[in-house]
Amino acid sequence: AIKTLTVAEEAMIDVDSLVAGKDLVVMLRLEDFERECSDIFESVGELVDEVVRAGEIGFPKDVVLVGGCTRVPRVQKVLHRVATAAGASVRK
């Protein structure tokens, strides 16, 4: 579903025999996903900031977001905010 939500506003989640042979079919909207995971996404920005400070080498001038959850729009916004605050440019 996460991969689908990186390019669409909705994703269908279909799990066969989830409990006692009953199937689960749910439509997940990007807005709902981002709201439910907002604390996790914000912690990503905090973690990046903490790692950069701990490394004592400063933030890189250019940041390239590649693959995985960096395709999630909210994660991109958080990382963009952290990077630009440090004076870096961000590319996808």
Side-chain angles (χ1 to χ4, degrees):
I2 293 174
K3 187 174 182 178
T4 301
L5 291 174
T6 64
V7 295
E9 292 292 316
E10 297 179 332
M12 181 70 69
I13 299 172
D14 189 352
V15 181
D16 294 331
S17 298
L18 180 65
V19 175
K22 301 223 181 215
D23 297 343
L24 172 71
V25 179
V26 177
M27 180 65 71
L28 179 62
R29 295 180 322 144
L30 177 61
E31 179 182 334
D32 297 332
F33 171 69
E34 288 185 342
R35 183 183 63 250
E36 293 300 320
C37 297
S38 64
D39 58 333
I40 296 169
F41 297 153
E42 289 301 321
S43 70
V44 169
E46 293 167 8
L47 180 62
V48 168
D49 196 39
E50 186 178 320
V51 167
V52 169
R53 274 189 267 116
E56 299 178 358
I57 59 171
F59 210 90
K61 292 184 181 190
D62 293 313
V63 177
V64 180
L65 304 179
V66 179
C69 287
T70 63
R71 292 184 179 133
V72 175
R74 180 64 187 263
V75 172
Q76 291 177 354
K77 289 176 188 172
V78 169
L79 293 175
H80 188 268
R81 185 183 70 228
V82 170
T84 54
S89 64
V90 180
R91 292 182 282 146
K92 302 176 200 175

